[in-house]
Amino acid sequence: MERQFTKEIESLRLGDGATFHGEGILAVTKALLQSGVSYVGGYQGAPVSHLLDVMVQARDYMDELGVHVEACTSEASAAAMLGASINYPARGAVTWKSIVGTNVAADALSYLASAGVMGGTLIVLGEDYGEGGVVAQERSHAFAMKSLMWLLDPRPGLPKIVEMVERGFELSEASNTPVMMELRIRACHVRGSFAARENKAPAVSTREKLDGPPKEFIYDRLAHPPAIFRQEKLKSDVRLPAARKFIAEHKLNEVFPGAEGAVGIIVQGGLYNALMLALKTLGLADGFGASRIPMLALNVVYPLVPEELVQFCAGKKAVIVLEEGQPEFIEQEIATVLRRADVQAKLHGKDFMHMAGEYTAEAMVRGLTKFLAQHAPQIDLSPGALWLDHSKSIRQKAAELLGAMPVRPPTFCVGCPERPVFSAMKLVAQDIGRPHVSMDVGCHAFASFEPFSQGNTLLGYGMSLASAAGVGPMSAKRPVSIMGDGGFWHNGLLSGVASNLLNKGDGVLVIMKNGYASATGTQELISSPSDEAREASHGASSVHDDRTIEDTLTGLGVKWLRTVNNYDVAEMSRTYREAMTTPEKGLKVIVAEGECQLERQRRLKPEVAQKLSKGERHVRVKYGVDEDTCTGDHSCIRLSGCPTLTVKDNPDPLRTDPVATVIDGCVGCGLCGENAHAAVLCPSFYRAEVVQNAGLWDRLVAKL
Ligand code: SF4
Ligand code: SF4
C-alpha cells in the first residue's frame, strides 16, 4: 500500500483528555470509533482512500474493539454491506469517491433508503468536485434528494467534522434513514486537532455476536412489494419530519450573527473556509471567524429545515445562497420555502455566482461584491476591488514574462510497466492504422495524453470493453479496450467480458496486470501477488505467480488468451498485431503482465538500503544515450514519454538540435533498449551497470 499509517494508528487509540492531531479524513476514522461503529467498508478512491487504508492497517486494533473492516470490491458491495443495519442495532460506515462511487452504489442505496435502518449508517463521500477533481463533475446532492437520504456537509475543521460524524449516526437512528457526509478534497486533507474521546466498543460486534436473525420476521424491512409503497410514505410522512426535528433540536446548522443585519449569507458548510477568506479579503471578517455579515452555515444541506430558513431570512432585505455546482438545488428549495412563508427577502445565488465549477475565495469576492453593492451600498467594498485588481495584474505580469507555457501533461511513473504496452500499440498502428481505443479508469488513462494520444472514450471504471460493444460491429477494424486489473475486478469482468461472450462479440481487450489498484494508492486485489511471491521476488516483478485473472477468463470461456511480459516490446507488438489481424472470431484478451513500478520500488528501496548498509555489493541498471551518435530526431521520446528520457543541448557546436539524454531518475526498466530494438531506432542507447560496494573483481574488470 502507498503509505504506512503507523503513527496514525496510534492516534486512533487516544482517549479522554488527549488531543488528536492530523488530517480531516483521519479525524473521521477516529470519530467512527468514538461513535461505536460495528463495521466499516468501502472502496478506495481519492480523497477518502486513507479512511479505509488506515482501518485495514489497524486490523489488530479493530479486532480488539470487535470492529469488522472490509475492503470491498466495489462501491456496490460497500453499499450493500450497510444492509447489516436494517435489522440490527449495529452502526455501520462505508466510504468511496463520489460522484462515480455513488453511481456504482446507487442500486443498493435505493433499496437501503427504502427499507430504512435501525442502526445508524454513515456514508462518507469524497466529493471529488472542483479544482483537483478527476471525475465527471456532478454533485452527490441529487442522490440524497432522489432517495431521501440525508446529506451532511460539515464546515472544514476537525472538531466540526468529528461532531458531525457522531451526530450523523444519531440523526440516522432518530429518522431510520441512511446519512451521507460529503467531504471535498480540501476538507479531507485539512489539518488540525480536536479533543479526543474514548473509543466505544460496539454493542453488536465480532466480539459481541448476534444470537441469530430477528426473533420476529418483519416483512416491512424488505424493499419489496407491497412494503415499498408503505416505505415511500414513511419517507415523507415520518422520517423526514423526524430528521428535521433532530437537526433543529441539536442545532446542526449554525447561525453566525453580524452587524449588517439587513443582508445575509446562506452557505454550504463545506464552503465556509473559502467564504471566511473572501469576507476577510473584503474587510468584512477577522481571522477568528467574526463576520459583519450574518451567516447561516448549512452543515446539513439535505434536508433543509424550513423554520430555520424563515427565521434567518425574515426581516432581511436580501440574502445570497452560496451553493457550489449545478443545478442550484438548495437555492430552489429556499425560494419555495420563502415564497410559501411569504418572506420578502430578495433571494440571490446563481445570478451573482457562476453555475459550474468550484467556488474559490476569489469567485466569492466577486459574487459578494455584486450582492453587497446592490443591497448594502453603505459598505466600503474597495479592499476587495483592490485585491481583485492586484491578482489580475500579477496574472498579466506572469503571462507577459512567461509567454505561452508548454503543455506538460501528467504521465506514467518512471519505469511504469504500462508505458511499453502503449509504445507497442503505437508501433503496430504505424502499419495497420489506428483503431478505436476504449479507455478505462486507472493509470493507463495517462496514455490518452502525449506522446501516445490513444483513447476515444472513457465511460467509467471497468467499462472499457462494454463501451466498445456498439463500436465493434460498426467498425472495419477491431476496437481495442484497455482495462486495469483493478477495473477488471471492479466491473470489467461482468459488464465487459461476460457481456461480450454472451453476445459473441469480437474485439481486443488488453488487461494491465500490474498487481494492485495502483491509481488509488496500490491497494490489494484478489489477484495481487501473495506475500510469499513478493518476498521471493527480490526486486523482480512478483505478479507472474498469480494466475487468477487468466484462470477466471478461461473458466468463463475466453478462447484467445495470451499473457505477455510488458517490457518485451517486440513480443507485445507481435501479440497485439496478431490479436488485431487474426481471422479468428471472438474476444481476444492480452494480459499485459508487469508489476506496478511504484510498488516494486517501495519494496526494493529498504532491501537495497539494508544491503548497502551491510557493505554488500549492489548492481543498479541505468540506461543512457551516447550523445555522439544521437541523431536528435527524438523518435525514442515520442515512443516512450518516460520523464527521465529527456533532451539536453547538443555538445556538437555544428549541430543545433538538442540530443536525447537519460537523467538520474532512470530505474533501468529497459524500455529504452526495447524500443530502440523493436522500432529499429538509432544505436545511441547503452545499458550501464552501476555497481555499489564494488569488490576486487569489479574493480579489476573496470580497470581493464
Ligand atoms: S502507480 Fe504504478 S501503474 Fe500507475 S503509473 Fe505508477 S508505476 Fe504505473
Ligand atoms: S530505461 Fe528508459 S524508459 Fe526505462 S526508466 Fe530508464 S529512461 Fe525511463
Side-chain angles (χ1 to χ4, degrees):
M1 202 179 283
E2 175 185 56
R3 227 179 108 176
Q4 283 297 324
F5 291 97
T6 320
K7 225 175 93 207
E8 288 78 3
I9 291 170
E10 280 312 305
S11 303
L12 293 184
R13 293 176 181 267
L14 295 176
D16 291 341
T19 304
F20 179 104
H21 297 273
E23 271 183 296
I25 193 63
L26 295 171
V28 173
T29 314
K30 171 72 172 120
L32 296 178
L33 300 179
Q34 291 182 177
S35 305
V37 72
S38 296
Y39 62 97
V40 179
Y43 193 81
Q44 61 271 357
V48 288
S49 291
H50 290 174
L51 192 163
L52 201 62
D53 289 353
V54 78
M55 285 256 176
V56 168
Q57 284 184 24
R59 225 180 261 275
D60 290 348
Y61 181 48
M62 296 303 121
D63 286 346
E64 248 175 66
L65 288 172
V67 178
H68 173 67
V69 178
E70 193 146 325
C72 305
T73 53
S74 76
E75 296 84 353
S77 33
M81 200 179 166
L82 293 174
S85 298
I86 294 176
N87 286 293
Y88 308 109
R91 288 185 168 181
V94 295
T95 188
W96 56 69
K97 178 204 275 287
S98 198
I99 191 72
V100 284
T102 314
N103 291 339
V104 175
D107 206 11
L109 286 180
S110 290
Y111 279 86
L112 182 78
S114 187
V117 294
M118 176 191 286
T121 56
L122 188 70
I123 303 155
V124 182
L125 303 174
E127 189 77 352
D128 200 29
Y129 186 86
E131 293 168 12
V134 294
V135 299
Q137 295 294 279
E138 294 180 6
R139 302 172 61 187
S140 306
H141 201 105
F143 277 90
M145 288 177 26
K146 79 154 178 70
S147 297
L148 263 82
M149 290 182 288
W150 319 140
L151 182 61
L152 313 180
D153 188 0
R155 280 195 292 121
L158 267 55
K160 185 51 68 181
I161 290 174
V162 169
E163 181 197 328
M164 292 307 286
V165 169
E166 295 174 346
R167 290 293 189 198
F169 281 114
E170 292 169 16
L171 170 64
S172 175
E173 283 158 6
S175 57
N176 303 117
T177 302
V179 171
M180 307 199 292
M181 182 163 84
E182 59 179 344
L183 291 173
R184 293 169 183 76
I185 303 169
R186 287 191 181 91
C188 286
H189 300 307
V190 71
R191 296 192 73 85
S193 60
F194 68 94
R197 291 194 300 112
E198 296 296 334
N199 295 331
K200 269 193 216 156
V204 178
S205 71
T206 55
R207 291 180 171 268
E208 301 293 331
K209 300 203 177 192
L210 297 158
D211 296 342
K215 304 263 175 297
E216 184 196 351
F217 176 74
I218 306 172
Y219 194 84
D220 273 0
R221 297 244 160 91
L222 285 175
H224 193 256
I228 44 170
F229 304 109
R230 193 174 114 75
Q231 287 163 359
E232 193 196 4
K233 281 182 83 54
L234 277 177
K235 280 184 179 179
S236 49
D237 293 355
V238 178
R239 297 179 196 165
L240 181 63
R244 285 183 166 145
K245 185 165 175 276
F246 184 94
I247 294 163
E249 277 178 7
H250 294 85
K251 298 197 175 6
L252 299 192
N253 296 321
E254 298 166 283
V255 176
F256 297 92
E260 302 289 344
V263 287
I265 301 171
I266 302 177
V267 63
Q268 286 173 298
L271 300 183
Y272 174 85
N273 290 4
L275 171 61
M276 290 314 294
L277 187 56
L279 287 172
K280 197 163 166 269
T281 306
L282 283 158
L284 296 171
D286 65 18
F288 302 95
S291 160
R292 271 177 66 191
I293 315 290
M295 292 181 294
L296 171 60
L298 299 171
N299 294 310
V300 186
V301 285
Y302 188 78
L304 300 177
V305 181
E307 297 75 26
E308 286 182 351
L309 297 168
V310 168
Q311 206 175 354
F312 182 74
C313 298
K316 292 203 186 315
K317 191 173 155 203
V319 290
I320 183 167
V321 180
L322 296 176
E323 176 189 8
E324 200 171 58
Q326 59 184 321
E328 65 275 52
F329 296 118
I330 299 174
E331 192 181 330
Q332 287 175 16
E333 195 175 338
I334 293 174
T336 308
V337 168
L338 297 188
R339 191 70 219 96
R340 281 190 185 144
D342 202 20
V343 174
Q344 294 304 315
K346 195 149 184 349
L347 184 67
H348 294 279
K350 291 293 181 188
D351 51 347
F352 286 152
M353 297 292 299
H354 54 261
M355 182 62 93
E358 184 172 331
Y359 278 11
T360 58
E362 186 175 340
M364 288 194 198
V365 169
R366 286 182 205 287
L368 289 174
T369 300
K370 286 183 210 159
F371 171 69
L372 295 172
Q374 191 169 327
H375 295 290
Q378 73 282 8
I379 294 177
D380 173 18
L381 297 168
S382 60
L386 278 175
W387 183 78
L388 288 172
D389 283 349
H390 182 61
S391 333
K392 195 173 159 195
S393 71
I394 289 179
R395 278 199 196 107
Q396 272 170 353
K397 201 173 220 168
E400 279 161 27
L401 289 173
L402 297 170
M405 295 289 284
V407 181
R408 191 165 174 254
T411 186
F412 301 99
C413 300
V414 173
C416 173
E418 301 185 357
R419 181 177 284 112
V421 179
F422 293 102
S423 298
M425 285 172 64
K426 196 167 175 180
L427 276 175
V428 174
Q430 286 170 1
D431 297 337
I432 66 168
R434 283 165 66 99
H436 173 97
V437 178
S438 308
M439 292 304 277
D440 213 292
V441 173
C443 295
H444 41 82
F446 288 134
S448 54
F449 298 112
E450 293 284 5
F452 303 113
S453 305
Q454 294 179 24
N456 302 92
T457 50
L458 181 63
L459 268 288
Y461 198 25
M463 301 305 279
S464 60
L465 183 57
S467 67
V471 178
M474 300 188 298
S475 307
K477 214 183 293 291
R478 272 180 191 134
V480 181
S481 309
I482 311 290
M483 197 183 284
D485 40 9
F488 176 76
W489 293 117
H490 180 268
N491 212 341
L493 173 63
L494 292 182
S495 301
V497 180
S499 188
N500 185 292
L501 294 175
L502 174 70
N503 291 289
K504 301 192 175 23
D506 203 320
V508 176
L509 170 64
V510 179
I511 300 176
M512 301 288 186
K513 182 179 157 191
N514 67 27
Y516 311 88
S518 302
T520 49
T522 57
Q523 288 84 3
E524 298 205 345
L525 305 166
I526 189 173
S527 54
S528 290
S530 61
D531 289 345
E532 297 75 43
R534 270 183 287 221
E535 262 169 40
S537 66
H538 297 298
S541 175
S542 61
V543 295
H544 307 297
D545 285 352
D546 194 280
R547 305 283 302 166
T548 317
I549 293 177
E550 286 89 336
D551 292 347
T552 304
L553 290 168
T554 310
L556 214 58
V558 172
K559 300 277 183 298
W560 198 105
L561 175 65
R562 309 277 189 275
T563 299
V564 186
N565 172 4
N566 295 21
Y567 292 105
D568 188 340
V569 176
E571 180 59 18
M572 182 59 75
S573 303
R574 258 193 307 278
T575 310
Y576 176 66
R577 187 189 299 270
E578 187 194 335
M580 291 299 288
T581 54
T582 176
E584 196 176 322
K585 294 274 175 246
L587 181 65
K588 264 87 38 195
V589 184
I590 301 172
V591 178
E593 195 173 62
E595 189 182 11
C596 167
Q597 188 68 218
L598 211 57
E599 192 62 15
R600 183 174 166 259
Q601 292 298 326
R602 224 169 261 142
R603 198 173 59 247
L604 214 57
K605 260 192 183 161
E607 280 178 27
V608 172
Q610 209 180 16
K611 261 172 99 180
L612 292 178
S613 68
K614 285 191 203 157
E616 288 175 16
R617 181 178 183 271
H618 174 67
V619 182
R620 174 163 90 92
V621 173
K622 188 180 178 302
Y623 279 71
V625 177
D626 180 350
E627 56 197 34
D628 294 332
T629 48
C630 173
T631 60
D633 76 340
H634 310 144
S635 44
C636 54
I637 293 174
R638 284 192 293 276
L639 260 184
S640 154
C642 174
T644 55
L645 174 60
T646 179
V647 287
K648 68 173 184 183
D649 287 342
N650 201 319
D652 183 345
L654 299 178
R655 290 162 64 200
T656 50
D657 281 340
V659 288
T661 185
V662 175
I663 56 176
D664 200 39
C666 167
V667 295
C669 78
L671 175 61
C672 284
E674 287 288 330
N675 272 349
H677 174 66
V680 201
L681 303 179
C682 69
S684 331
F685 281 95
Y686 61 83
R687 178 183 184 277
E689 289 189 350
V690 182
V691 183
Q692 288 167 281
N693 291 335
L696 269 180
W697 178 251
D698 292 313
R699 289 173 202 279
L700 188 67
V701 171
K703 264 203 181 133
L704 274 173

